Amino acid sequence: MVSDLAPEVGPSRLNWRSTAGGGHLLAPPVSAFLAGWPSAGLVSVAEIDPELADTAAFCEFYGVPAEASANCVVVTGKRAGEVKYAACMVLATDRADVNGAVRRLLDVRKASFAPMSEAVELTGMEYGGITPIGLPAGWPVLVSAEVAAAGPVVIGSGLRRSKLLLDGALLGDLPGAEVVAELSQR
């Protein structure tokens, strides 16, 4: 179980438990996806103060190193009238190369962060808690090579009141996922 990895991500202010018993801590699309994902047993959830969901505040209060925390950003772009979306996973120490790597991978003229209301509506998740687990079918999940190689990482749960813990390499196993070597910028 991933909760065995909890000591690797910081002091034990977080009570990690199986996602199977933590449904109230998961956004509905996340819970639905985990119910059918063979790797779900390798994912743990912990309740947090929703006021501390933003990465910097979370890492500081809970003692989780930024290099053990990964952010999910929803990016959008358009080509020939077709709107495309993708989720990008980068370490909290980095930022996604939206107008370089992401734009090329989406094959759009210009890529930008999706507006908050649009990201929330399309994902069925809370802003500040969006995760690549349980995204709409067909969305690419672009995982930076740094996240995939990080070992245990803390990510969103779809809600601001909890976080997930899993090995970053598992994110490359999500539907539509691709590990991208040059996705991150420092």
Side-chain angles (χ1 to χ4, degrees):
M1 164 146 301
V2 146
S3 59
D4 297 336
L5 301 174
E8 296 181 40
V9 297
S12 189
R13 284 190 184 186
L14 296 162
N15 180 21
W16 296 106
R17 61 180 151 224
S18 167
T19 56
H24 67 289
L25 296 174
L26 305 170
V30 175
S31 184
F33 178 83
L34 287 173
W37 194 37
S39 297
L42 301 174
V43 181
S44 295
V45 64
E47 189 167 7
I48 65 165
D49 180 339
E51 296 298 317
L52 300 171
D54 294 331
T55 305
F58 168 80
C59 288
E60 181 178 343
F61 183 81
Y62 291 101
V64 173
E67 56 274 1
S69 181
N71 292 324
C72 181
V73 294
V74 176
V75 177
T76 186
K78 202 186 267 191
R79 175 166 302 281
E82 179 187 3
V83 178
K84 298 180 180 182
Y85 294 92
C88 301
M89 290 300 300
V90 295
L91 292 176
T93 55
D94 299 340
R95 57 187 165 87
D97 181 13
V98 173
N99 276 306
V102 176
R103 180 187 57 76
R104 284 189 300 278
L105 289 164
L106 279 179
D107 188 30
V108 294
R109 291 183 188 268
K110 181 183 175 201
S112 59
F113 297 108
M116 176 178 53
S117 60
E118 198 172 299
V120 167
E121 180 183 340
L122 293 172
T123 63
M125 301 178 198
E126 294 176 356
Y127 192 75
I130 294 175
T131 183
I133 296 173
L135 288 173
W139 278 28
V141 177
L142 308 175
V143 180
S144 77
E146 293 82 4
V147 170
V153 292
V154 176
I155 66 172
S157 67
L159 302 174
R160 291 184 60 85
R161 66 176 179 266
S162 59
K163 295 285 186 180
L164 298 177
L165 175 66
L166 72 161
D167 191 295
L170 282 177
L171 296 171
D173 295 338
L174 292 170
E178 178 181 351
V179 176
V180 180
E182 296 178 8
L183 182 65
S184 297
Q185 296 180 331
R186 292 250 159 159

